[in-house]
Amino acid sequence: MKVLQQEETRTSNFFTENDTLQKVLELMLDEEFHDYAMRELTDFGELCAGEIDERAKHTDKTGEPRLQRYNAYGEEVSEIWVNDGYKRTIEETYNTGIVGYVHKEIPQLGRKGNYVYSFAQGYLLSHAEPGFYCPVTLSMATAYLLDHYASDEVRERFLLHVCATGDTKLYEGATFLTERQGGSDVGANVVKAVHDGKQFRLYGEKYFASNAGMCGVAMVLARMEDAPKGSKGLTLFAVPWHQEDGTINHLRIRRLKDKLGVKAVPSGEVEFDGAFAYVVGDPNKGIYYMLEALNLSRICNAVASIGIMRRGYLEAKHYVTNRYAFGLPLTQYPMIQDTLGKFAAKLHVEVATVFDVIQLYDKVTSGQGNKQDIIMNRLNIAIMKKEAAEQALHYASEAIELHGGNGYIEDFVTPRLLRDAQVLTVWEGTANILALELIRLVEKFQAHELFVQVMQERLASLSASPLLQIVSEQLEKLEENLQIFSHLDEATKTFDAKRIAENMAHVYESVVAVEWADRFGGKYEKLADIYLEDTWALRKIGAPMKTVQYFAEII
């Protein structure tokens, strides 16, 4: 066997050859914004594939964050050391407006950006550093909560800094929910908020607090004195990490978590001992505000997932293209062509569908969505967060297998992709939690009927084709199962909900796949054909090998 030099396989820009993302931007941005985005994302795609990727390797191997609890005088400081390369990545990434331009004007355009553009940036960043995309996610959620619900005083105090693009001091954000006795049961939280006659102070512990010590302000759920038990008794607070004189705000980091992956983000246990805190919004609606931020974070999670998927795909494609066995490149063998072809098809459809979710999210968060849009937004986010996270893990593993033994060696990026992907199935809600969200939406809003209606309407606008027929048949089967599911007892619903959620995600993706095939034809029709055949197990033994037939055009 022989292999060509690694330099010949290196991808120098994560954006310029990303056809699906470029077409997404054509579809979802107006001409002026599109031209701006193409210029900026070309530069950012090169940065992510170059310097940011190199720094990510260093952070993962030897430069991960470290806790410094005390200064030389023995005073509690709870500071986090990060390496200089990571600091540079922080500066360069936030200065692109990945957080800020959702909430303030882009100077070159004279208007605000949107989530489609922000998530395009996040998608490219996640090719190289999905660990750092976690703090970006937390800052996005913090900015959302401050912009939508904080008083003018609190908003003016913090939002400008969270949205900094090099024009003022940056405050990264954080959202602290998890307590050791609560976990996903946020209603069991006991961190308390006590009014000292002038303002609120927080007491208690958050057990899994990501971006601890790096954030300038954290959004924290706490329970006021005499507030009712359960999640409805929680109030949302903005808690600065430091006081105005620069000293730490009566809090400490007990320790940092030793995580399997996403080494870039410091996740720790934070104790509040009278930390000054500012109420955000209606004191009785803290849980509702945080759940809205959680939905935003779930989209970020899905975007990180597709970033890992595409990085794995690029690494695998380059490797098997330049690796020879028995005198031929691996890409000459049907098994390799089939694996890579299915990978490419799923990746394309997953990216297109995640951005379809984002487009509706933009509509809803800008106040332009109706009640139907709001329900579909919650449903789409739940089923696609679950699907994308699971596929990121699957395809990170697939990329290792396509490399063979080298894929398991830390000299290659593939082991880090697998370690980083594993957390995506957990953060922002496991499959079980997302399945419970599906059940709530079905029981409260009949979301299953709305989903079928929306998918039928989208299919009705397309030209008749064999691909359309396949999707229509699968939608009919799903409709029957959803009707059965909606009438099950509670226990059986929980038993079947994950399978139903997966089926809904596959139908949603199938609709998007045939929409792209109908609109663009060519390779997108072939990618849709492969996706549908593989997803719905349509091929019979001995039938034509479509991934082999289409390989030259789709890879």
Side-chain angles (χ1 to χ4, degrees), residues 46-229:
E46 181 178 2
L47 184 64
C48 289
E51 294 178 18
I52 288 179
D53 188 46
E54 286 299 317
R55 297 172 198 149
K57 295 176 187 176
H58 170 63
T59 297
D60 180 68
K61 292 181 185 299
T62 58
E64 63 186 281
R66 297 196 291 268
L67 172 61
Q68 298 174 328
R69 281 197 64 175
Y70 305 99
N71 64 15
Y73 298 97
E75 298 166 328
E76 185 99 43
V77 292
S78 283
E79 293 178 348
I80 299 296
W81 175 91
V82 294
N83 67 72
D84 289 340
Y86 183 78
K87 293 178 183 177
R88 182 67 177 158
T89 294
I90 290 175
E91 178 184 2
E92 290 176 340
T93 301
Y94 284 106
N95 285 356
T96 67
I98 192 170
V99 175
Y101 288 156
V102 176
H103 302 276
K104 68 181 184 180
E105 288 188 354
I106 300 173
Q108 296 92 320
L109 298 180
R111 55 181 161 129
K112 292 181 181 179
N114 59 23
Y115 282 109
V116 167
Y117 177 60
S118 173
F119 283 124
Q121 294 171 297
Y123 174 37
L124 297 178
L125 176 63
S126 297
H127 284 57
E129 184 54 290
F132 173 58
Y133 192 46
C134 174
V136 172
T137 295
L138 297 172
S139 299
M140 290 174 69
T142 300
Y144 175 91
L145 291 168
L146 291 170
D147 198 11
H148 282 77
Y149 298 115
S151 65
D152 291 343
E153 179 185 357
V154 173
R155 187 185 302 113
E156 290 170 10
R157 182 185 181 98
F158 297 115
L159 184 60
L160 183 68
H161 295 289
V162 178
C163 293
T165 51
D167 48 354
T168 190
K169 184 178 180 180
L170 171 68
Y171 290 177
E172 287 192 87
T175 56
F176 295 169
L177 287 80
T178 307
E179 298 180 17
R180 69 173 76 193
Q181 80 289 343
S184 298
D185 181 9
V186 178
N189 284 5
V190 296
V191 168
K192 61 182 179 180
V194 178
H195 201 276
D196 66 1
K198 294 182 179 179
Q199 65 184 102
F200 283 98
R201 290 173 172 266
L202 300 192
Y203 296 87
E205 175 202 29
K206 294 295 181 179
Y207 187 65
F208 202 102
S210 286
N211 218 26
M214 292 298 293
C215 61
V217 58
M219 310 305 287
V220 182
L221 287 177
R223 196 178 304 278
M224 291 183 179
E225 295 176 291
D226 301 323
K229 295 181 179 180

Side-chain angles (χ1 to χ4, degrees), residues 366-383:
S366 65
Q368 298 175 6
N370 56 30
K371 183 178 180 181
Q372 171 180 304
D373 293 328
I374 293 170
I375 296 168
M376 283 298 296
N377 177 59
R378 283 180 59 181
L379 178 62
N380 291 346
I381 290 170
I383 63 176

Side-chain angles (χ1 to χ4, degrees), residues 252-451:
R252 68 183 63 86
I253 301 173
R254 178 189 296 156
R255 62 172 177 168
L256 293 183
K257 306 288 192 180
D258 187 9
K259 303 191 299 293
L260 173 68
V262 289
K263 299 286 190 177
V265 54
S267 302
E269 299 166 12
V270 175
E271 295 177 333
F272 298 100
D273 188 19
F276 294 114
Y278 303 85
V279 174
V280 174
D282 185 332
N284 299 312
K285 294 184 177 179
I287 187 64
Y288 300 106
Y289 300 150
M290 196 62 98
L291 289 175
E292 286 189 33
L294 182 62
N295 264 337
L296 171 57
S297 297
R298 284 173 174 169
I299 300 176
C300 292
N301 191 291
V303 169
S305 297
I306 58 177
I308 287 176
M309 284 177 69
R310 184 164 184 268
R311 181 64 185 277
Y313 168 73
L314 291 174
E315 295 293 325
K317 182 180 74 168
H318 288 160
Y319 191 86
V320 298
T321 298
N322 293 293
R323 183 78 176 179
Y324 284 70
F326 311 109
L328 293 173
L330 293 183
T331 49
Q332 294 295 308
Y333 295 100
M335 285 189 293
I336 296 294
Q337 293 178 343
D338 182 57
T339 301
L340 210 57
K342 289 173 180 173
F343 198 157
K346 178 66 175 181
L347 173 62
H348 156 67
V349 175
E350 197 101 316
V351 171
T353 307
V354 167
F355 275 92
D356 191 78
V357 173
I358 293 165
Q359 186 176 37
L360 180 59
Y361 183 76
D362 252 328
K363 182 180 179 181
V364 168
T365 54
S366 65
Q368 298 175 6
N370 56 30
K371 183 178 180 181
Q372 171 180 304
D373 293 328
I374 293 170
I375 296 168
M376 283 298 296
N377 177 59
R378 283 180 59 181
L379 178 62
N380 291 346
I381 290 170
I383 63 176
M384 287 309 301
K385 186 276 180 184
K386 174 183 177 296
E387 178 68 13
E390 291 172 354
Q391 294 306 317
L393 188 58
H394 169 61
Y395 280 107
S397 177
E398 190 75 78
I400 288 176
E401 187 171 343
L402 283 166
H403 279 70
N406 275 336
Y408 204 66
I409 305 303
E410 292 282 354
D411 292 341
F412 292 79
V413 72
T414 40
R416 176 161 62 88
L417 294 180
L418 184 63
R419 288 187 280 107
D420 287 353
Q422 180 63 75
V423 80
L424 297 173
T425 63
V426 177
W427 280 358
E428 277 70 60
T430 63
N432 287 338
I433 296 300
L434 296 166
L436 293 176
E437 170 75 342
L438 169 61
I439 292 172
R440 280 191 295 270
L441 292 170
V442 168
E443 292 179 345
K444 189 172 183 179
F445 302 109
Q446 291 72 55
H448 58 298
E449 295 178 357
L450 178 58
F451 177 83

